[in-house]
Amino acid sequence: MIRERLSALAVMPDDVIDPLLWRLALDVAAAHQPNEHGDCRNLQCVGQRGMCTAARTARRAMTKARRPRPVAAPLARSADHHHAVGSSQTLARFRGWFTSTDPEAARGGRGWLLPVTVPAA
């Protein structure tokens, strides 16, 4: 009896960008299913407690084979069709990122620079 791979029967999600990686990862994940104690039932993973390395790697590969999900909503466009910078709350979070936190440097002092002359040894 010929054993069919699960990836040949599975419906691939629409957001898969690497079909070969996704199908291979699906087959590995199917071969490394947990038993009633939560350990891998595959004979190659005897003695490993919990989810085996192959199953963890297969899950990671299935995630990497798919298009990344957007983290934030797209920026709104203003009337002149330029991207909006963001809300005032967003801008307040980033205020001061590119300025020095040293009070001497903030006053225009040069206390944070290296000395101009190096003492002779």
Side-chain angles (χ1 to χ4, degrees):
M1 178 178 209
I2 297 174
R3 186 172 152 191
E4 191 73 31
R5 291 183 174 260
L6 182 62
S7 63
L9 304 173
V11 176
M12 190 178 310
D14 293 335
D15 61 345
V16 170
I17 55 176
D18 190 343
L20 181 62
L21 178 63
W22 188 85
R23 289 187 187 279
L24 179 63
L26 182 67
D27 289 335
V28 171
H32 291 266
Q33 290 295 309
N35 62 14
E36 59 276 356
H37 302 293
D39 301 330
C40 183
R41 67 178 65 205
N42 193 300
L43 294 176
Q44 296 174 338
C45 302
V46 172
Q48 291 188 31
R49 308 295 297 162
M51 186 184 288
C52 68
T53 305
R56 283 194 306 269
T57 305
R59 285 188 181 205
R60 192 174 324 128
M62 287 180 75
T63 303
K64 295 291 183 186
R66 297 176 82 162
R67 186 174 299 115
R69 293 182 180 164
V71 177
L75 295 174
R77 291 185 180 256
S78 61
D80 57 356
H81 301 289
H82 292 291
H83 286 287
V85 176
S87 67
S88 60
Q89 292 175 345
T90 304
L91 294 175
R93 284 193 353 224
F94 296 106
R95 187 171 291 130
W97 268 33
F98 301 106
T99 59
S100 176
T101 57
D102 181 20
E104 179 68 25
R107 286 192 301 270
R110 296 179 169 247
W112 52 274
L113 292 176
L114 294 175
V116 177
T117 58
V118 178

